[in-house]
């Protein structure tokens, strides 16, 4: 956890590998959830009373949006932390932008749990 919150001190390999490649893959995966949402999303639940694996399934359109936003914002966080944090000219701005990305990530996770909550 300290590796994600401490200022980046690695060189160009981490900047290009994590800051561009991994963050781009995460960002594109989130965009796929936003542009091509699945019809239903299943969440595995813990087995109860020996009944085996159970799933909570939702057909709400809000769940793919929340998952997509979470992955897009995670990709932005990785990009700001590893690429901007290791860049000599962009280093001054990465703390603010990664903080905004983390706030958005937390909001999208809360939005996803609220959308998945059972309604009566």
């Amino acid at each position: 956890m300290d590796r994600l919150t401490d200022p980046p001190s690695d060189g160009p390999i981490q900047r290009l590998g994590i800051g561009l490649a991994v963050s781009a893959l995460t960002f594109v995966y989130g965009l796929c959830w936003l542009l091509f949402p699945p019809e239903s999303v299943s969440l595995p639940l813990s087995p109860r009373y020996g009944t085996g694996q159970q799933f909570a399934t939702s057909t709400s359109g809000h769940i793919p949006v929340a998952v997509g936003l979470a992955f897009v914002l995670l990709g932005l966080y990785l990009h700001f932390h590893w690429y901007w944090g290791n860049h000599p000219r962009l280093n001054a701005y990465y703390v603010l932008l990664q903080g905004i990305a983390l706030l958005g990530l937390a909001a999208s996770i809360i939005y996803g749990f609220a959308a998945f909550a059972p309604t009566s």
Side-chain angles (χ1 to χ4, degrees), residues 1 29 32 50 64 103 108:
M1 191 65 179
Y29 183 73
C32 288
L103 285 174
S108 66

Side-chain angles (χ1 to χ4, degrees), residues 23-56:
S23 65
L25 288 173
T26 308
F27 188 87
V28 169
Y29 183 73
L31 279 180
C32 288
W33 273 84
L34 292 172
L35 297 176
F36 310 107
E39 292 181 17
S40 66
V41 178
S42 295
L43 178 69
L45 301 173
S46 63
R48 294 185 181 200
Y49 310 112
T51 59
Q53 188 71 33
Q54 297 176 349
F55 293 94

